[in-house]
Amino acid sequence: MTVRDIFDAMSYGPSPESPAEALAWIERHSAVFGPWIDGAFAKPGQTFATENPATGTLLARVTQGTEADVDAAVRSASRAQAGWARRSGHERARVLYALARLVQKHARLLAVLETLDNGKPIRESSDVDVPLVARHFYYHAGLAQILEAENPGMEPVGVGAAVIPWNFPLLMLAWKVAPALAAGCAVVLKPAEQTPLTALLFAELSREAGLPPGVLNVVTGDGATGAALAAHPGVAKVAFTGSTEVGRRIRETTAGSGKGLTLELGGKSPFLVFDDADLDSAVEGLVDGIFFNQGQVCCAGSRLLVQESIADRFHDRLRRRMERLRVGDPMDKCTDVGAIVDRIQLERIRGLVASAEGETFVAGAAPEGCFCAPTLITGLSASSPLMHEEIFGPVLVSTTFRTPAEAVEIANNSRYGLAATLWTENVNLALGIAPKLKAGVVWVNATNLFDAAAGFGGLRESGFGREGGREGFAEWLKPAAKPLKLRTVAAMAEPKRPGIEGIDRTAKLFIGGKQQRPDGGGSRAVWSSRGRLLGHAPQGNRKDIRNAVEAARAAKGWAATSAHNRAQVLYYIAENLSARAAELAGRLRDLTGEAGEAEVEAAIRRLFDCAARADKIEGRVKPVPLEGLVVALNEPVGTIGILCPDEAPLLGFVSLVGSAIAMGNTVVALPSEPFPLAATDFAQVLETSDLPAGVVNIVTGSHAELAAPLAGHMDLDAVWCFSGGAGRLAEVERGSAANLKRVWSGRGLTESWAAADTRAFLTAAVEVKTVWLPAGE
């Protein structure tokens, strides 16, 4: 071929990267690896093969971790934990800085080994993954340095278990290990069985950074190894990235254990293209959004929603661009789409494509082996199965919309909520649509942008918790002060000689802004400490929970109400409570046998504090290396089910409900079981305080009977559990696994209900959404 031919064809010649250095490292270990425990490789046990997915050749054999291996690793981490936590932030920062420098010094080795083990193009490993790994360790070195100054009164949570997937083996390691080490935690890491090698190399390099033995341990193996690690009683926190189904099992396994849990799970992220978008730029963004890493990305823009008026033009441009993508040898710097991680995943992708409705376009033929050609499926309806099923490959599905409102509706019609992308030249439209998308991350006129300073994580069945940024760092810290202690309190027993006075008083449920009788028609007598009948409390059932959730969901306009207006309502509630202070204090005295004046006054102060802070729980502009803005927005969680504490029947109820509605959430509350009349009286205050119907709903009754239907309700976004001890919490956390709703049980609260910091309640009442807004031409 002549030079003229090359210029005419504009074809790429091969530009292969040599694997020699990586293969030599493997050979130095005789291509057999044991787990990394206590700062050294342990003797290999039973092994399995890890192969190069592009060629099928054997790379090495690694140990199938047993429960004994997991136990040894956790014990090693536990021994190292105290000493690592006692080091100053500056001392830990120096080690993290050294780890970042080592990643840079060995960048080529790490990138090549990642591509050999995973199959992703070397260009992505070297230009995206490894630089981001170094960035995470640099960023968290800084957070370690300033920890004492900016996080006073906080300490590390303890030993962390990090279980990571095969799509970004080294980057996911950094996402979990860097903040854990910065906070003072020791870590046991379980890499994916398909891609363990860069984790083992990183562990070996960590010695050169001065990381003490035991602070980082790596146990290889399959899902059984990860399950044993997550269930180990010596683990204080589990950080998992992987499939939704495995995340659901981890939620069930850890239920009631008190372990912290961060889940970053699957996704079916929408990619919205409006009719005023720069179509060529949108096509390039879409190529990056779905064909990057062979589409094996949890936040891949795999669901294309394009405005109907430009759909044909956009699809034509996209098909032409797909035809120019180069599928092949991942070690070639000119390759765009590398190998699928293994044959099992490839067959799954092919099976899903074969089941597709609509019109399927395949961009050329893939090479022999574990490769999949870029694929576009158009003409689907919003309800088509492939618009909802995560394919996890280089396959894009597409439908159309007519109006922005319809685009939002289709985009949010998913059980996932990890990320979303929108393309438009109209800044007003962009800023109007972004907050409405149910996603933890939104990219505007860009996609797949990541940085250590910007939190990442999802909603719904995409998981909960954040990784990266200050919000991700906070997941590895806890208050050093003693946590809030909950007491179980019994209701006053029926006396042998009851005192009956006055006209019968029967409380009702409070649902949709109205007092309603319970569905089951039952009630129980509530007695005073002196044996006087105070009235009857309704006994709610599963249908009452359903009605209350429906009413709360119908009050969705509350989230759109400005923080200022929400604050005014809270002030008004406090004012009306103050007007009835003597009555409520008397009620508390009758219910509990203790003076109620202090509790009523504390409830009024708590409402004032919630109102005062409603417009002061602010977001952040993230300092990322990007021209433009990256904004972390605090948004309401949604609809929250609250099991209120037995004790402090008014203050506990007001603290939880008041903070939730202050941040724009709607609530279904189960008030104190032994003393429910404090809440039903408070409902009368709510009726006169301009609170929209359905924002607060109150269902009294047995927490033991109502906890399960509340926790399992698919239209709830979170449950706060302050009732019934560890057994009740375990039941709630297991029930929450159905749709992976968030569960909060007071983590971050200290001292008494009266002394607790309102900010802890308000922080639990928001989700962080990261919105990327690039600027420039």
Side-chain angles (χ1 to χ4, degrees):
M1 180 179 284
T2 67
V3 172
R4 180 193 255 325
D5 293 334
I6 293 172
F7 272 99
D8 287 341
M10 292 299 288
S11 59
Y12 285 77
S15 180
E17 181 67 79
S18 171
E21 185 181 3
L23 296 176
W25 176 79
I26 295 172
E27 190 55 37
R28 282 202 302 274
H29 293 278
S30 302
V32 180
F33 294 89
W36 179 268
I37 298 175
D38 221 20
F41 284 112
K43 183 179 179 181
Q46 181 180 352
T47 63
F48 60 90
T50 179
E51 298 176 346
N52 181 339
T55 63
T57 57
L58 176 70
L59 291 172
R61 300 196 68 83
V62 296
T63 295
Q64 169 58 44
T66 63
E67 288 190 10
D69 293 326
V70 169
D71 187 60
V74 174
R75 284 189 286 107
S76 172
S78 298
R79 289 192 299 269
Q81 168 67 49
W84 182 245
R86 279 195 300 269
R87 291 196 179 195
S88 69
H90 171 67
E91 290 175 301
R92 292 199 296 270
R94 290 172 68 102
V95 175
L96 284 155
Y97 172 77
L99 285 168
R101 294 289 292 137
L102 281 166
V103 168
Q104 291 178 319
K105 291 175 184 177
H106 297 279
R108 183 175 177 278
L109 171 60
L110 288 164
V112 170
L113 189 62
E114 189 85 323
T115 288
L116 288 175
D117 209 16
N118 168 274
K120 64 174 60 185
I122 186 65
R123 182 161 47 85
E124 294 177 6
S125 295
S126 60
D127 295 353
V128 179
D129 292 20
V130 173
L132 274 174
V133 170
R135 164 70 173 148
H136 271 268
F137 281 98
Y138 276 126
Y139 178 79
H140 287 94
L143 288 179
Q145 176 70 32
I146 61 177
L147 191 154
E148 289 95 343
E150 300 214 353
N151 299 274
M154 303 299 284
E155 65 182 13
V157 297
V159 174
V163 182
I164 60 176
W166 43 258
N167 55 342
F168 291 93
L170 190 60
L171 184 55
M172 292 299 99
L173 176 154
W175 279 25
K176 291 167 173 55
V177 171
L181 298 186
C185 300
V187 181
V188 179
L189 175 76
K190 206 293 286 186
E193 60 187 294
Q194 298 92 336
T195 55
L197 295 183
T198 46
L200 295 170
L201 171 57
F202 180 87
E204 188 176 61
L205 291 174
S206 70
R207 286 188 301 201
E208 298 178 31
L211 191 67
V215 174
L216 173 63
N217 302 273
V218 180
V219 181
T220 54
D222 58 14
T225 308
L229 177 58
H232 197 287
V235 166
K237 172 182 168 60
V238 179
F240 172 77
T241 297
S243 73
T244 295
E245 288 309 310
V246 175
R248 187 174 284 116
R249 290 200 295 271
I250 290 175
R251 168 74 286 178
E252 293 168 346
T253 298
T254 59
S257 66
K259 295 176 181 176
L261 184 59
T262 302
L263 298 176
E264 195 263 282
L265 308 175
K268 190 71 176 179
S269 299
F271 192 106
L272 286 69
V273 182
F274 291 90
D275 58 7
D276 64 344
D278 179 334
L279 297 191
D280 289 329
S281 294
V283 166
E284 289 304 311
L286 185 53
V287 165
D288 184 44
I290 182 58
F291 303 125
F292 173 67
N293 199 27
Q294 298 73 251
Q296 298 170 136
V297 183
C298 52
C299 57
S302 56
R303 193 160 47 111
L304 172 62
L305 281 57
V306 58
Q307 199 150 16
E308 189 176 275
S309 59
I310 60 165
D312 290 342
R313 279 190 294 144
F314 188 79
H315 288 147
D316 286 343
R317 294 189 192 199
L318 177 59
R319 291 187 189 98
R320 289 199 299 271
R321 180 65 179 90
M322 289 170 61
E323 288 173 340
R324 299 187 68 83
L325 292 173
R326 297 174 297 280
V327 183
D329 181 8
M331 292 298 291
D332 190 332
K333 299 183 186 73
C334 297
T335 293
D336 296 306
V337 181
I340 302 300
V341 71
D342 62 20
R343 182 67 62 176
I344 295 172
Q345 178 64 15
L346 177 63
E347 292 305 318
R348 180 180 182 277
I349 294 168
R350 287 173 173 171
L352 288 169
V353 171
S355 71
E357 308 164 6
E359 180 183 343
T360 299
F361 168 77
V362 181
E368 288 294 321
C370 217
F371 294 90
C372 181
T375 301
L376 169 65
I377 302 171
T378 55
L380 298 179
S381 69
S383 61
S384 296
L386 287 191
M387 291 295 292
H388 299 272
E389 185 73 22
E390 185 178 32
I391 300 174
F392 223 64
V395 180
L396 176 67
V397 298
S398 180
T399 192
T400 61
F401 64 88
R402 291 184 178 180
T403 67
E406 186 184 13
V408 171
E409 183 178 358
I410 296 172
N412 291 340
N413 181 23
S414 171
R415 67 182 189 271
Y416 298 112
L418 187 54
T421 300
L422 64 99
W423 287 77
T424 174
E425 293 296 290
N426 184 336
V427 66
N428 295 322
L429 180 63
L431 295 177
I433 294 292
K436 297 175 183 176
L437 296 173
K438 298 297 184 183
V441 179
V442 176
W443 292 293
V444 176
N445 292 342
T447 193
N448 278 344
L449 297 178
F450 307 98
D451 187 72
F456 183 89
L459 314 172
R460 299 174 169 175
E461 292 189 33
S462 291
F464 49 78
R466 294 294 180 262
E467 293 184 307
R470 292 172 184 265
E471 54 270 41
F473 186 52
E475 303 271 357
W476 293 93
L477 296 169
K478 66 178 182 179
K482 290 183 178 179
L484 177 68
K485 216 56 165 157
L486 297 177
R487 293 188 301 120
T488 300
V489 182
M492 299 299 173
E494 180 179 353
K496 292 181 179 178
R497 296 182 178 180
I500 311 297
E501 301 175 5
I503 299 174
D504 175 71
R505 183 175 180 181
T506 301
K508 294 183 176 66
L509 308 180
F510 185 65
I511 297 175
K514 300 176 182 178
Q515 297 197 33
Q516 298 186 13
R517 290 185 175 87
D519 173 72
S523 61
R524 74 168 178 86
V526 180
W527 302 94
S528 78
S529 58
R530 297 186 178 184
R532 183 166 59 90
L533 180 65
L534 300 176
H536 290 82
Q539 296 294 93
N541 63 15
R542 180 183 295 269
K543 188 173 186 300
D544 295 314
I545 293 291
R546 188 171 73 234
N547 292 341
V549 174
E550 287 177 359
R553 300 297 284 191
K556 57 187 177 182
W558 181 247
T561 303
S562 72
H564 169 75
N565 287 340
R566 294 196 301 268
Q568 300 312 300
V569 172
L570 284 162
Y571 282 128
Y572 194 22
I573 294 171
E575 178 185 336
N576 288 333
L577 176 58
S578 180
R580 299 180 62 174
E583 177 190 345
L584 268 293
R587 172 68 90 182
L588 290 172
R589 187 184 306 109
D590 287 341
L591 287 168
T592 66
E594 300 176 2
E597 287 79 7
E599 184 172 342
V600 173
E601 183 57 35
I604 294 169
R605 287 199 306 270
R606 184 60 44 79
L607 286 167
F608 261 75
D609 209 23
C610 290
R613 296 181 185 277
D615 57 358
K616 298 172 185 67
I617 303 297
E618 300 163 341
R620 294 177 181 268
V621 175
K622 296 292 187 168
V624 305
L626 173 83
E627 183 180 358
L629 291 174
V630 178
V631 184
L633 303 175
N634 286 319
E635 294 189 333
V637 171
T639 299
I640 303 176
I642 303 178
L643 289 93
C644 296
D646 290 348
E647 58 182 331
L650 180 63
L651 178 57
F653 179 90
V654 165
S655 297
L656 296 168
V657 172
S659 56
I661 66 173
M663 303 316 297
N665 301 284
T666 57
V667 168
V668 175
L670 276 56
S672 168
E673 184 173 345
F675 311 125
L677 298 186
T680 56
D681 284 0
F682 186 74
Q684 298 170 14
V685 175
L686 297 177
E687 285 181 301
T688 60
S689 301
D690 293 343
L691 185 72
V695 173
V696 175
N697 304 273
I698 301 172
V699 179
T700 58
S702 167
H703 288 197
E705 294 178 8
L706 296 176
L710 188 72
H713 201 294
M714 297 298 283
D715 270 348
L716 280 182
D717 300 293
V719 178
W720 292 358
C721 182
F722 288 81
S723 160
R728 179 74 41 72
L729 177 61
E731 179 185 20
V732 167
E733 289 183 333
R734 279 194 295 269
S736 75
N739 68 342
L740 288 166
K741 59 178 69 69
R742 288 174 46 175
V743 176
W744 183 52
S745 58
R747 189 185 182 97
L749 288 177
T750 58
E751 303 181 40
S752 66
W753 281 99
D757 190 340
T758 305
R759 287 174 295 184
F761 298 102
L762 298 174
T763 300
V766 296
E767 292 275 15
V768 176
K769 172 184 282 185
T770 303
V771 180
W772 293 72
L773 298 160
E777 293 296 325

